[in-house]
Amino acid sequence: MFNLVLFGPPGSGKGTQAANLIEKYKLVHLSTGDLLRSEIANKTPLGVEAKKIMDAGQLVPDEVVIGIIDNCLEKNAGANGFLFDGFPRTITQAKALDKLLELKKNQINLVLALQVNEEELVRRLLERGKTSGRSDDTSEEVIRKRFQVYTNETEPVAQHYKESDKFKAIPGEGSVDDIFGNLSTAIDEYNKGE
């Protein structure tokens, strides 16, 4: 089983590349946001718990999110692997995910981070904001804040995976095909070494 974490700031093209990687490597897309919405819609015990917390205006605790991830891993036990999108965002989450996967005799194999300079991200998001309908894509100030939050949250997580030689930065500028080629090369090189 091959487990990949894909990082990238808002506007880095992570969504596009995730879809390409899922198709090429036959991975299960594990987006914590999508999983949470699904658990809530299906009124599962974890979904009911998460909804209560969210309705109170609070963040869903890591234990609940890890429980939801565990459910997804169980439901897809025969998968080739998983692409983790939007998780882990903190060191605590990274360690909890490592522990969960270890219990399943598994691990995160590779963490790929799309690197795009801030000016390019601002340009891309303002452009996307013209058609996306997302208010957070129309204000340069909000975009720069989102980039700062992303950097502050993910730097420690990147460091966590660098310490175990699982982290690789990938240039996130250029054509979609070039970026996809660079991501694929990193995955193929990892898989050759296994």
Side-chain angles (χ1 to χ4, degrees):
M1 187 177 277
F2 176 78
N3 295 310
L4 172 69
V5 175
L6 185 62
F7 275 152
S12 64
K14 187 168 55 84
T16 300
Q17 296 302 340
N20 291 340
L21 292 169
I22 288 161
E23 186 177 324
K24 179 173 182 177
Y25 295 99
K26 307 297 180 231
L27 301 172
V28 173
H29 187 213
L30 205 153
S31 160
T32 51
D34 292 348
L35 289 176
L36 263 174
R37 285 185 284 279
S38 170
E39 295 277 335
I40 290 167
N42 292 323
K43 295 183 172 53
T44 67
L46 281 170
V48 170
E49 173 81 10
K51 183 169 176 10
K52 273 189 220 158
I53 293 164
M54 290 163 73
D55 286 350
Q58 297 171 328
L59 289 174
V60 177
D62 291 345
E63 309 79 68
V64 175
V65 177
I66 286 289
I68 289 170
I69 289 171
D70 190 15
N71 285 352
C72 182
L73 295 174
E74 288 297 319
K75 281 183 202 154
N76 297 282
N80 287 338
F82 294 86
L83 185 146
F84 290 85
D85 177 2
F87 191 89
R89 287 182 189 248
T90 65
I91 287 285
T92 305
Q93 290 176 350
K95 289 180 177 173
L97 180 60
D98 289 347
K99 192 180 285 185
L100 172 66
L101 290 172
E102 201 176 296
L103 288 171
K104 297 181 179 303
K105 306 213 177 330
N106 225 307
Q107 64 174 333
I108 292 297
N109 301 96
L110 198 54
V111 177
L112 299 178
L114 292 171
Q115 309 235 286
V116 181
N117 79 62
E118 188 173 349
E119 296 314 309
E120 174 64 10
L121 289 171
V122 169
R123 188 194 66 71
R124 287 181 186 181
L125 289 172
L126 288 172
E127 191 60 35
R128 181 173 88 179
K130 293 176 184 173
T131 56
S132 71
R134 289 181 52 170
S135 60
D136 59 347
D137 283 349
T138 57
S139 161
E140 186 172 332
E141 184 183 342
V142 171
I143 290 168
R144 290 190 190 278
K145 269 190 196 140
R146 284 166 62 202
F147 182 72
Q148 203 50 54
V149 166
Y150 168 82
T151 303
N152 293 343
E153 282 183 352
T154 56
E155 272 310 307
V157 178
Q159 192 55 45
H160 170 75
Y161 288 112
K162 282 177 186 172
E163 287 166 12
S164 53
D165 269 346
K166 295 180 179 186
F167 182 88
K168 188 164 177 56
I170 303 292
E173 294 178 39
S175 75
V176 169
D177 289 342
D178 287 347
I179 297 163
F180 181 62
N182 291 335
L183 289 165
S184 296
T185 297
I187 292 169
D188 296 343
E189 283 174 2
Y190 172 86
N191 285 331
K192 260 188 234 150
E194 278 300 286

